[in-house]
């Protein structure tokens, strides 16, 4: 029987479990065996694996899979593995896969995880197909990474709550959302909630400029008679939220400004229907591609750039990991045309001020 393995790696994201379920069902339908690796590359190095869908009593048996898709996090566990960053760790992982007779590996994760997958292929010819998963939506060659939609919904709900209390007291709020290297969550949520302005790392502003710009937006907003001013800040903007708010209040002592840092709340929770759907379809294509002999690739959802190999799913294309990693780097440093389109969207669609 043909055997594949699957792991989830890096920051967990809602929809990973839905992808695991879909991969298990696709394998079962094609007569292949699927092993789930515990705790990402850490578990792979140690050979910790569990059979998925072997029978009703197992942890990942059929009944468990029925409820899995609606759960956040990842049932397999995840890790940011320092050992796998070393050549010796990757060699050990390749040995484990070989001795278990595993012919291909599905890696569900973000930039670091896909970089590891690419290295595993280059150094040890392990056939890997990646599935983009990161609430930050910072991965190239895909319009959506698994978890981004759910994270956005969580941010929108939190901002709606903040909005109620802000309008009651005529206050300004700075809401910080996750996104270390990529401002997508901040930019997209700013449009979705009709924020007054958005701060993200790719703007490359220094602290003085940021304090000045934020104070100006707040002052002008209230001068126009608004009852709330809402500014979304990406985590990647280095000035801590509390310091930013304190410095703005020093400039505007007559106004009240508050800070809310959403942090890991944004990464958990039940996946949205869109995340479940995208996860399932990406996982189907990843498994099908691996069984057809694909290697060193990632499957992307409605890619926002040309190229890629078609799959039986019209919304999913296959890209070489090399290209994915290049495009991911361009997204992070702000030079990708995809970033330029995001900025245009901010200014044209909602008039949200990128500070
Ligand atoms: O997964 C991406 C992310 O959520 C970033 O937005 C954030 O900076 C980082 O992970 C936090 O990582 P950790 O959970 O390891 O602190």
């Amino acid at each position: 029987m043909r055997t594949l393995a699957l792991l989830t790696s890096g920051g967990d994201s809602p929809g990973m479990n839905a992808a695991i379920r879909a991969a298990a069902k696709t394998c079962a339908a094609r007569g292949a065996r699927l092993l789930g690796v515990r705790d990402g590359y850490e578990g792979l190095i140690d050979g910790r694996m569990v059979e998925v869908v072997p029978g009703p009593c197992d942890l990942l048996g059929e009944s468990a899979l029925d409820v899995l898709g609606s759960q956040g996090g990842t049932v397999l566990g995840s890790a940011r593995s320092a050992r796998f960053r070393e050549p010796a760790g990757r060699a050990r992982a390749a040995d484990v896969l070989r001795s278990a007779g595993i012919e291909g590996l599905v890696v569900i994760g973000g930039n670091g995880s896909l970089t590891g997958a690419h290295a595993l292929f280059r150094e040890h010819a392990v056939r890997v197909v990646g599935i983009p998963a990161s609430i930050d939506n910072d991965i190239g060659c895909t319009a959506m990474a698994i978890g981004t939609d759910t994270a956005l919904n969580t941010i929108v709900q939190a901002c709606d709550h903040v909005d109620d209390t802000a309008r009651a007291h005529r206050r300004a709020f700075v809401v910080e959302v996750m996104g270390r290297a990529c401002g997508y969550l901040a930019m997209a949520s700013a449009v979705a909630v009709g924020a007054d302005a958005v701060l993200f790392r790719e703007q490359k502003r220094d602290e003085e400029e940021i304090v000045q710009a934020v104070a100006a937006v707040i002052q002008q907003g209230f001068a126009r008679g608004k009852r709330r001013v809402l500014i979304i800040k990406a985590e990647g903007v280095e000035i801590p939220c509390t310091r930013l708010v304190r410095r703005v209040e020093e400039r505007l002592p007559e106004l009240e400004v508050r800070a809310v840092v959403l942090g890991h709340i944004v990464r958990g929770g039940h996946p949205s229907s869109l995340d479940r759907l995208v996860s399932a379809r990406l996982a189907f294509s990843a498994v099908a591609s691996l069984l057809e002999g694909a290697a060193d690739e990632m499957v992307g959802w409605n890619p926002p750039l040309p190229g890629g190999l078609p799959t039986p799913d019209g919304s999913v294309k296959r890209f070489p990991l090399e290209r994915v990693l290049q495009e991911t780097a361009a997204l992070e440093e702000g030079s990708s045309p995809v970033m330029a389109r995001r900025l245009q969207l901010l200014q044209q669609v909602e008039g949200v001020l990128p500070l």
Side-chain angles (χ1 to χ4, degrees):
M1 194 178 206
R2 301 178 71 182
T3 304
L4 300 183
L6 175 151
L7 60 80
T8 51
S9 164
D12 56 287
S13 59
M16 280 181 159
N17 282 328
I20 295 169
R21 176 171 69 187
K25 289 195 168 182
T26 308
C27 279
R30 291 173 184 231
R33 184 169 162 248
L34 182 67
L35 296 178
V37 182
R38 301 277 196 188
D39 302 325
Y41 290 120
E42 274 296 290
L44 184 59
I45 291 170
D46 297 333
R48 287 185 283 123
M49 293 187 258
V50 55
E51 191 134 351
V52 187
V53 223
C57 297
D58 294 80
L59 175 73
L60 280 170
E62 214 172 350
S63 297
L65 287 181
D66 284 343
V67 292
L68 194 58
S70 63
Q71 293 168 8
T74 161
V75 71
L76 288 174
S78 188
R80 301 191 192 277
S81 173
R83 283 193 293 162
F84 193 75
R85 275 183 227 122
E86 302 301 322
R90 294 194 290 274
R92 174 85 199 107
D95 279 349
V96 167
L97 289 166
R98 247 189 309 273
S99 45
I102 292 162
E103 64 168 274
L105 175 68
V106 177
V107 170
I108 305 177
N111 189 13
S113 313
L114 297 172
T115 303
H118 187 45
L120 208 49
F121 174 77
R122 268 187 297 122
E123 294 166 10
H124 303 284
V126 171
R127 289 204 298 113
V128 188
V129 171
I131 297 180
S134 159
I135 62 162
D136 294 355
N137 211 21
D138 56 351
I139 303 168
C141 306
T142 186
M144 293 284 290
I146 290 180
T148 303
D149 183 62
T150 307
L152 270 176
N153 287 332
T154 305
I155 295 169
V156 166
Q157 196 187 24
C159 286
D160 286 350
H161 291 192
V162 164
D163 224 59
D164 289 342
T165 175
R167 278 184 289 103
H169 290 267
R170 218 165 169 271
R171 281 176 177 161
F173 273 81
V174 178
V175 176
E176 182 181 291
V177 302
M178 270 196 166
R180 193 169 29 202
C182 175
Y184 179 86
L185 279 181
M187 294 160 79
S189 60
V191 172
V193 301
D196 296 273
V198 56
L199 289 161
F200 46 96
R201 189 195 58 91
E202 295 90 328
Q203 292 160 309
K204 303 183 173 95
R205 289 258 172 124
D206 68 28
E207 181 163 332
E208 275 319 304
E209 286 177 307
I210 291 173
V211 171
Q212 221 172 54
V214 169
V217 167
I218 293 175
Q219 194 169 37
Q220 288 157 15
F222 286 127
R224 291 197 306 276
K226 279 172 71 86
R227 285 203 65 87
R228 71 87 157 123
V229 175
L230 180 60
I231 292 160
I232 311 285
K233 171 188 174 296
E235 172 196 7
V237 174
E238 263 171 22
I239 173 169
C241 230
T242 43
R243 188 161 86 217
L244 173 59
V245 162
R246 183 176 41 76
R247 292 202 55 195
V248 169
E249 277 196 316
E250 280 163 12
R251 284 176 174 249
L252 307 170
E254 73 286 5
L255 296 176
E256 286 187 298
V257 189
R258 297 286 188 270
V260 175
V261 178
L262 295 180
H264 286 79
I265 287 174
V266 168
R267 215 161 75 186
H270 297 292
S272 66
S273 52
L274 182 61
D275 268 328
R276 297 182 202 191
L277 185 82
V278 171
S279 302
R281 289 169 65 177
L282 287 176
F284 162 76
S285 288
V287 168
S289 307
L290 260 186
L291 290 173
E292 281 158 24
D296 198 29
E297 291 182 356
M298 186 197 83
V299 285
W301 179 259
N302 285 330
L305 70 187
L309 290 171
T311 69
D313 185 326
S315 292
V316 180
K317 282 195 173 164
R318 294 161 50 183
F319 288 88
L321 275 174
E322 184 81 31
R323 175 150 183 227
V324 171
L325 297 174
Q326 276 163 8
E327 175 58 16
T328 302
L331 270 179
E332 282 195 2
E333 104 212 357
S335 60
S336 158
V338 173
M339 184 62 184
R341 286 205 292 276
R342 287 176 183 171
L343 274 174
Q344 238 174 17
L345 174 89
L346 271 183
Q347 282 154 341
Q348 292 174 356
V349 180
E350 268 284 348
V352 179
L353 194 62
L355 289 181

